């Protein structure tokens, strides 16, 4: 008889963790997160966030860490006074994997933004900027990470109204194109290039909840408009809300409170052949009580 051909077992699924901070605004030092009139509770700050991130990475080394625009610009004096260089340097130290541009990233104009891009040890991505190459070097539509053999594509989307929120001329000759079209196109290209996970970082947030408790705002419109067969996770920003929901049956959409007062952990189970099999998320308040700050960042800030 003929020898039985041994079938290769299917590849084991990979657990990938995503950490996200929204609208960080160079909040290098902890801030009070207690409600008005309550005793002070300090949370966040670069040195403490790094400790929380490191714990999460120790639990699962297959981790990527993202922000979604306005990580610098409109910052406290400790960063602002130094032209926001400290915000980017501490992001490097925190191990940020990628970021996109919000309106405040353009506050000091294109030449300054180029300096920040050059200083960053992580990519800035934005897929809906027309004339990008003529204005900024080293920025692309997407970044691709190889996590345990799985290609994770990360696409940036800048808020369409951003040019109206900064001084005329701050965008150079960059124009912003429709975010849904740009996201779908970039996601399609990423899938063709073998991405099993597609994540969007967008500087859009929710604006509140209606009488039925349903969220509304640019983040909702965007998440309801993109192609759910192409996109797995969308990280929002810009409006300082806690929000997590599934859109169009499959897209996980998450926004954190601003300035590092909160961060999210997303867990993805990814089949190497077919993509994301399951996803879940939790919010965390990085309180500083009893937590040892990262000594390198602490020394740098001090």
């Amino acid at each position: 008889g003929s020898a039985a051909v041994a079938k290769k077992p299917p590849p084991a699924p990979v657990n990938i963790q995503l950490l996200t901070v929204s609208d960080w605004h160079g909040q290098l030092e902890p801030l009070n997160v207690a409600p008005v009139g309550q005793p002070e509770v300090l949370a966040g700050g670069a040195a403490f966030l790094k400790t929380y991130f490191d714990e999460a990475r120790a639990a699962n080394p297959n981790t990527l860490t993202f922000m979604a625009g306005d990580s610098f610009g409109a910052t406290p004096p400790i960063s602002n006074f130094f032209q926001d260089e400290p915000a980017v340097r501490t992001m490097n130290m925190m191990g940020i994997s990628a970021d996109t541009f919000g309106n405040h990233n353009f506050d000091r104009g294109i030449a300054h933004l180029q300096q920040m891009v050059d200083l960053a040890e992580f990519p800035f991505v934005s897929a809906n900027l027309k004339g990008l190459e003529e204005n900024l070097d080293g920025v692309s539509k997407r970044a691709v990470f190889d996590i345990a053999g799985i290609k994770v594509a990360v696409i940036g989307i800048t808020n369409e109204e951003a040019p109206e929120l900064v001084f005329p001329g701050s965008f150079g000759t960059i124009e912003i194109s429709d975010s849904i079209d740009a996201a779908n196109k970039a996601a399609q290209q990423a899938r063709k290039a073998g991405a099993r996970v597609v994540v969007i970082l967008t500087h859009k947030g929710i604006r509140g909840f209606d009488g039925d408790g349903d969220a509304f705002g640019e983040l909702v419109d965007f998440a309801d408009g993109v192609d759910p067969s192409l996109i797995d996770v969308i990280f929002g920003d810009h409006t300082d809300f806690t929000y997590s929901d599934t859109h169009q049956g499959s897209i996980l959409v998450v926004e954190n409170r601003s300035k590092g007062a909160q961060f999210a952990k997303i867990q993805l189970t990814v089949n190497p052949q077919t993509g994301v099999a399951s996803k879940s998320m939790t919010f965390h308040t990085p309180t500083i009580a009893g937590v040892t700050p990262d000594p390198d960042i602490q020394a740098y800030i001090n």
Side-chain angles (χ1 to χ4, degrees):
S2 61
V5 177
K7 264 195 170 167
K8 263 177 77 176
V14 175
N15 293 321
I16 294 177
Q17 175 173 248
L18 311 178
L19 306 176
T20 71
V21 172
S22 301
D23 234 38
W24 189 51
H25 283 297
Q27 187 67 45
L28 272 66
E29 296 172 306
L31 69 164
N32 181 18
V33 296
V36 176
Q38 299 292 312
E40 184 175 75
V41 176
L42 293 177
F48 292 93
L49 282 171
K50 172 74 160 51
T51 300
Y52 279 93
F53 293 167
D54 283 350
E55 276 175 20
R57 292 164 184 154
N60 182 357
N62 298 329
T63 296
L64 294 168
T65 308
F66 300 123
M67 293 188 180
D70 281 10
S71 304
F72 56 87
T75 47
I78 184 173
S79 180
N80 191 19
F81 184 76
F82 299 102
Q83 278 68 54
D84 278 338
E85 199 176 287
V88 178
R89 286 194 190 277
T90 52
M91 286 171 74
N92 290 341
M93 294 163 94
M94 283 192 280
I96 300 302
S97 307
D99 192 5
T100 189
F101 298 136
N103 44 287
H104 282 292
N105 294 105
F106 292 88
D107 281 351
R108 294 172 189 257
I110 289 285
H112 174 264
L113 184 53
Q114 184 68 63
Q115 291 170 357
M116 298 297 103
V117 168
D118 295 344
L119 188 59
E121 291 164 10
F122 52 88
F124 281 97
V125 289
S126 185
N128 64 327
L129 300 181
K130 283 184 189 161
L132 176 64
E133 291 78 12
E134 294 81 17
N135 288 269
L136 290 168
D137 286 329
V139 177
S140 52
K141 292 184 177 181
R142 66 177 190 267
V144 179
F145 298 88
D146 186 311
I147 303 292
I150 298 210
K151 277 188 182 170
V152 178
V154 180
I155 297 163
I157 292 290
T158 300
N159 46 328
E160 280 96 336
E161 81 285 7
E164 295 148 37
L165 302 176
V166 295
F167 287 113
S170 300
F171 270 73
T173 58
I174 289 175
E175 290 176 18
I176 300 199
S177 67
D178 182 80
S179 56
I180 290 171
D181 286 350
N184 285 339
K185 269 194 196 112
Q188 206 162 16
Q189 290 163 351
R191 293 286 182 193
K192 278 189 185 138
R196 288 287 175 261
V197 181
V198 174
V199 176
I200 308 270
L201 310 178
T202 182
H203 197 68
K204 294 171 181 280
I206 70 163
R207 296 289 178 177
F209 298 90
D210 65 20
D212 299 324
D214 294 322
F216 60 90
E218 299 92 318
L219 180 59
V220 172
D221 300 340
F222 177 74
D224 289 345
V226 295
D227 184 340
S229 69
L230 296 172
I231 291 161
D232 298 300
V233 182
I234 299 173
F235 290 127
D237 201 315
H238 189 51
T239 55
D240 197 17
F241 274 95
T242 301
Y243 179 70
S244 160
D245 206 355
T246 300
H247 285 248
Q248 304 195 63
S250 64
I251 307 173
L252 177 62
V253 183
V254 176
E255 180 181 5
N256 299 291
R257 294 296 309 274
S258 297
K259 300 184 177 178
Q262 186 176 51
F263 72 97
K265 284 184 195 174
I266 287 82
Q267 311 299 337
L268 305 175
T269 305
V270 187
N271 179 315
Q273 287 166 328
T274 55
V276 177
S278 73
K279 54 187 87 156
S280 64
M281 66 79 55
T282 50
F283 285 113
H284 302 267
T285 301
T287 51
I288 73 167
V291 178
T292 306
D294 177 79
D296 294 338
I297 296 182
Q298 202 65 7
Y300 173 69
I301 292 173
N302 293 343

